[in-house]
Amino acid sequence: MGYEDLPRVSLINLPTPLEELHRLRQAIGGPRILLKRDDLTGLGLGGNKSRKLEFLLGDALRRGADAIITSGGIQTNHGRLTAAACAKLGLTCYLVFTEDENGVYEGNRILQTMFGAKQVFCDNIDHSLPPEKMARERLRAGEETIAKLAGRLRAEGKNPYVIPRGGRSLYGTASYVAAMDEVRAQLEERNLRVDYILAPCATSSTMTGISLGNRVSGLGAKVIGAALSRSPEEGKSMLEEEFNHDAAALGYGFRIRRADVDIRGDYIGAGYGAMTEADKEAMLLFARTEGILLDPVYTGKTASMYVDLVRRGYFPQESTVLLFHTGGTPLLFLQEMSDWVKNEVARGTEE
């Protein structure tokens, strides 16, 4: 059974464009650079999670689900796209936020609300824990809240379907195996090859699918991930486990070892979602050379990794690099971004 055999529902505009960034290359040098525009999937302002939702909600509909539950932070891109997909399919969407209610409506929360998602906040978080343990505590609280919510909905006669945080699942992996088939076809059409593929890595789900799809499609590129929310070692372990489980479940004979996984932690900065000066520079480079907007959490860090590797001479000049643009556009409209643009960026644009 390959990804083609899984249930799937049509939600987005495919294939997404594969663009060559000529002016960016002129600005910083380096190899040929391609950008896979998964920010242009169409649904709910686009993003990589919408690919996963085609498969996840295909399975949900096959099981007769009438309510969808998923979780994340208040600014979750996955939650925004789940809410949009549910609106399109007529399903009730519940978003379990593993944060405290802050009363702030900006970025993704505006859109989640407009799409009609029911927002549930965890009231079972132990705030006395030290910061280094809070991430796991929030995950625990979210899982407990989801279990209680799903139980209540079933008692009310509903049939809820729980989507893992970030869409990390067999279906999430399968969606990016399919995406890599799409990339292969686009490269063949233009008589191109790709030597390196760069992508953000948080839950590791997208990078797992890209890594497996890289093997299935026969591209043979080196896949490099930018760690965003956990150590590279933890990310490598997660990817190894998910890759080997999902490859077997899909009927592929490929396997991966931790030693084969390349996730780099040099670009995290102060932590998940915290912009660095390198992120800011990369975001402005893409905006001012190509008119392409990157978000401050995922694609901005992947781009800063690319710019840094180019400047350090990591890529052979004759090679071709492909970056995945995974979306996140609403994150550009947070107060932090407004403050940065007003206090730093705008100074260079005033006559």
Side-chain angles (χ1 to χ4, degrees), residues 21-29 33 282 285-286 289-290 306-307:
L21 308 184
H22 298 284
R23 294 197 70 248
L24 177 69
R25 187 182 186 188
Q26 290 172 2
I28 65 172
I33 173 68
L285 268 171
F286 274 70
T289 63
E290 300 288 350
Y306 172 71
V307 172

Side-chain angles (χ1 to χ4, degrees), residues 16 106 165 237 281 291 310 332:
T16 57
E106 59 182 9
R165 191 182 183 99
S237 295
E281 181 196 11
V310 167
L332 289 166

Side-chain angles (χ1 to χ4, degrees), residues 252-314:
Y252 302 122
F254 302 107
R255 297 293 179 269
I256 202 168
R257 302 170 303 158
R258 287 178 73 257
D260 301 324
V261 181
D262 191 345
I263 299 175
R264 309 198 177 191
D266 305 331
Y267 309 95
I268 294 178
Y272 179 71
M275 282 195 297
T276 66
E277 292 304 311
D279 299 340
K280 296 174 182 178
E281 181 196 11
M283 291 168 69
L284 289 179
L285 268 171
F286 274 70
R288 293 178 174 181
T289 63
E290 300 288 350
I292 291 171
L293 297 173
L294 306 179
D295 79 285
V297 179
Y298 298 93
T299 54
K301 289 191 178 296
T302 308
S304 71
M305 177 173 71
Y306 172 71
V307 172
D308 179 58
L309 292 176
V310 167
R311 288 174 173 165
R312 291 199 281 119
Y314 177 82

Side-chain angles (χ1 to χ4, degrees), residues 230-251:
R230 51 179 48 85
S231 72
E233 292 309 308
E234 185 178 359
K236 290 176 184 180
S237 295
M238 291 173 65
L239 192 147
E240 178 189 34
E241 177 184 7
E242 187 175 18
F243 181 107
N244 291 331
H245 173 274
D246 292 352
L250 291 168

Side-chain angles (χ1 to χ4, degrees), residues 171-232:
Y171 299 102
T173 298
S175 73
Y176 267 86
V177 176
M180 291 301 290
D181 251 356
E182 185 178 299
V183 168
R184 175 194 54 76
Q186 290 175 310
L187 292 170
E188 288 179 353
E189 183 180 344
R190 293 158 64 175
N191 196 29
L192 296 174
R193 64 179 177 82
V194 65
D195 303 288
Y196 300 88
I197 299 173
L198 274 58
C201 185
T203 65
S204 81
S205 177
T206 298
M207 187 175 170
T208 299
I210 289 171
S211 299
L212 179 55
N214 183 47
R215 303 272 191 94
V216 172
S217 63
L219 290 178
K222 179 175 177 57
V223 180
I224 304 174
L228 304 176
S229 59
R230 51 179 48 85
S231 72

